[in-house]
Amino acid sequence: MSRWWTETVAALGDVVPLPLAALLLLLAALLAALAWYFFPAWVPRRLPRWRLPRLPRLRLPRRRRRSKARPADGSPPVPTPRAPEPVPARHAALADRLAAEGRYAEAVRERLRDMVRELVERQVVEPRAGMTVTELTTAAAQVRPGTRPALHAAGAVFSDLWYAQRPATPEHDRAMRRHAADLHRELAGEGERR
């Protein structure tokens, strides 16, 4: 093996100077490294790849199921009344508090959650885990077309802050407040006309 290697290097040295061959090999390695970094689609999937951290997804409120515990005597379960949870105020109040603290990106997210909660409560959309803002806008616009402008604009603000990772400002919070108010007016107006 070592004799073969020595003869091959000597034959290569007769054709190309060895410093030039080493420089070409170094250049080829550099090009391969750049291709790996900038064009990860070229790299086969079974090799390890550099991954970006996952961004938070919009979580939709879930409907709670009541537990049906049977009494010891075997009679049918009696539903236990629950005190109503102040859900409508929860997301909006949290958004207001976050905005007051200067955490505008989180305030925008909570304001969007409040908008989604209102759509779910008014039975405009059915909540699904992993639903994107675009899917939400499309689903709501199919049922109530007037909701599209407010949801589309709110989704654009949310995406700019959370997916494009732009810095959040008080103007983003004010814009989300306007979009939430527009959506609320649209849903309240549609409900009164029915």
Side-chain angles (χ1 to χ4, degrees), residues 79-162:
T80 56
R82 282 194 215 174
E85 192 175 283
V87 174
R90 185 173 62 198
H91 291 295
L94 181 56
D96 291 340
R97 185 177 56 102
L98 290 169
E101 294 174 3
R103 296 164 57 187
Y104 299 112
E106 294 169 14
V108 164
R109 182 181 60 202
E110 289 304 317
R111 191 108 26 225
L112 184 62
R113 284 180 178 165
D114 187 51
M115 294 168 75
V116 171
R117 180 218 29 96
E118 186 171 8
L119 290 169
V120 169
E121 280 184 356
R122 292 181 185 262
Q123 297 178 346
V124 176
V125 294
E126 189 69 28
R128 281 191 341 244
M131 184 181 244
T132 65
V133 178
T134 306
E135 292 169 342
L136 173 75
T137 303
T138 304
Q142 287 175 351
V143 177
R144 297 216 179 142
T147 61
R148 179 181 288 280
L151 287 173
H152 181 71
V157 172
F158 176 81
S159 296
D160 279 349
L161 299 181
W162 285 98

Side-chain angles (χ1 to χ4, degrees), residues 17-57:
L18 286 180
L20 180 62
L23 183 64
L24 290 175
L25 284 174
L26 185 62
L27 184 63
L30 178 66
L31 289 175
L34 288 173
W36 179 288
Y37 182 77
F38 287 109
F39 302 102
W42 292 0
V43 179
R45 290 190 180 270
R46 62 180 170 255
L47 296 176
R49 293 174 63 180
W50 178 68
R51 296 193 186 275
L52 293 173
R54 295 194 70 181
L55 296 173
R57 292 193 67 141

Side-chain angles (χ1 to χ4, degrees), residues 165-189:
Q165 295 186 349
R166 294 199 170 95
T169 64
E171 180 53 39
H172 291 113
D173 182 56
R174 284 191 290 274
M176 281 302 281
R177 287 174 193 265
R178 283 193 305 271
H179 301 320
D182 291 345
L183 179 68
H184 180 71
R185 275 193 300 276
E186 176 64 33
L187 292 176

